[in-house]
Amino acid sequence: MGNLLKGKRGVVFGVANNRSIAWGIAQAAQREGAELAFTYLNEALEKRVRPLAESVGSELVLPCDVQNDSDIEAVFAKLKDAWGGIDFVVHSVAYANADDLKGRFHETSREGFALAMDVSAYSLVAVTNKAVPVMNKGGSIVTLTYLGAAQVVPHYRVMGVAKAALEACVRELAVDLGPDSIRVNAISAGPIKTLAASGISDFRDLLGAFEVRSPLRKLVTIEDVGDTAIYLLSDLARAVTGEVHYVDGGFNITTA
Ligand code: NAD
């Protein structure tokens, strides 16, 4: 048990199950002394999220579809009631239609493009907007991105576009919120076998290439990402904002 987040309270968006990156971050945050709240997308996922939340001592487990502004508003209203203020937000949410991750990129539908952008990029803006009024000074917001934002990765298609937008949103938000002493950063994780990743064709090939070509020659885990998130969520990163931190064993520098 550490104390890097001792006395801090935060909400985690994006736990679907115990393989979720958000869960790796939540476990690390609890280990470092944080008090946590969780959101879940729907009733099916609530059944998975609630026991996980309980296992890290959290009773604040709230519904939230990030496409719905009133859901987001209700989450932060509840957190304000329960805690008064919050210190951090973990945004670990993305979605695209399976069809838009196959096919050719120019065949992406208008609806599919908008959906991927709404859930995977705009939602950071919407969540931040409702979080800010209840955030304490020194607050930290962390989102999850992927190398596909910066370069073409096979089968990532519309998600690459959404992640590029997400990273641009991180920079905009960082500039906006810097004067309020609120920091906004992204972690660009290497490929990890999760529910969301199962929507990407040939994901196994991506994992195989990663293991062979990343400088550290091993796959990234949700624990690896969790520990980097602790740095960004804690006061250790008090002068760090608007950045993308790669947790990918250096893969991004070997694939240009
Ligand atoms: P995951 O499936 O465990 O998590 C994705 C989460 O998004 C789920 O909890 C899901 O419920 C949530 N979600 C989807 N639509 C939503 C909506 N409308 N409202 C609220 N929540 C919604 O998969 P993961 O891999 O842990 O993904 C978490 C984040 O990490 C995503 O942003 C993903 O793009 C990113 N990421 C994943 C990898 C990887 O290889 N797995 C690599 C880099 C970045």
Side-chain angles (χ1 to χ4, degrees), residues 13-17 19-22 39-42 45 64-67 91-95 119-120 143-147 156 159 163 166 187-197 200 203 222:
F13 290 77
V15 176
N17 54 41
R19 301 169 85 152
S20 294
I21 292 174
T39 70
Y40 58 86
L41 172 58
N42 54 35
L45 290 177
C64 185
D65 178 340
V66 296
Q67 291 197 277
H91 172 277
S92 186
V93 169
Y95 186 78
V119 177
S120 316
T143 188
L144 270 298
T145 186
Y146 180 59
L147 181 61
Y156 206 56
M159 275 306 294
K163 291 300 192 191
L166 178 72
I187 294 174
S188 185
I192 302 175
K193 230 172 138 192
T194 61
L195 196 62
I200 298 162
F203 189 72
I222 62 171

Side-chain angles (χ1 to χ4, degrees), residues 17-205:
N17 54 41
N18 63 0
R19 301 169 85 152
S20 294
I21 292 174
W23 179 238
I25 297 174
Q27 284 181 296
Q30 190 252 355
R31 183 195 72 212
E32 295 298 331
E35 205 174 329
L36 296 171
F38 292 85
T39 70
Y40 58 86
L41 172 58
N42 54 35
E43 277 177 25
L45 290 177
E46 179 185 7
K47 292 198 185 86
R48 290 183 180 272
V49 176
R50 221 167 253 288
L52 290 171
E54 278 166 16
S55 76
V56 292
S58 171
E59 284 168 11
L60 279 166
V61 183
L62 308 164
C64 185
D65 178 340
V66 296
Q67 291 197 277
N68 187 330
D69 285 328
S70 56
D71 277 10
I72 299 172
E73 210 166 325
V75 167
F76 288 101
K78 290 241 170 66
L79 295 179
K80 190 178 179 198
D81 280 353
W83 289 342
I86 67 165
D87 301 290
F88 64 85
V89 175
V90 174
H91 172 277
S92 186
V93 169
Y95 186 78
N97 282 330
D99 282 353
D100 292 318
L101 299 173
K102 293 176 191 140
R104 299 173 71 189
F105 179 68
H106 68 79
E107 292 167 352
T108 308
S109 68
R110 191 180 297 275
E111 295 74 25
F113 190 98
L115 175 66
M117 290 292 264
D118 189 30
V119 177
S120 316
Y122 177 71
S123 69
L124 177 70
V125 181
V127 165
T128 299
N129 187 38
K130 300 298 176 206
V132 164
V134 295
M135 272 199 117
N136 299 324
K137 269 201 171 216
S140 174
I141 298 171
V142 168
T143 188
L144 270 298
T145 186
Y146 180 59
L147 181 61
Q151 59 192 59
V152 173
V153 173
H155 309 298
Y156 206 56
R157 307 253 193 267
V158 73
M159 275 306 294
V161 175
K163 291 300 192 191
L166 178 72
E167 292 183 11
C169 289
V170 165
R171 291 187 289 272
E172 290 289 341
L173 293 169
V175 169
D176 258 4
L177 300 174
D180 302 322
S181 300
I182 295 172
R183 301 178 292 104
V184 187
N185 290 287
I187 294 174
S188 185
I192 302 175
K193 230 172 138 192
T194 61
L195 196 62
S198 66
I200 298 162
S201 315
D202 298 330
F203 189 72
R204 230 177 287 150
D205 295 348

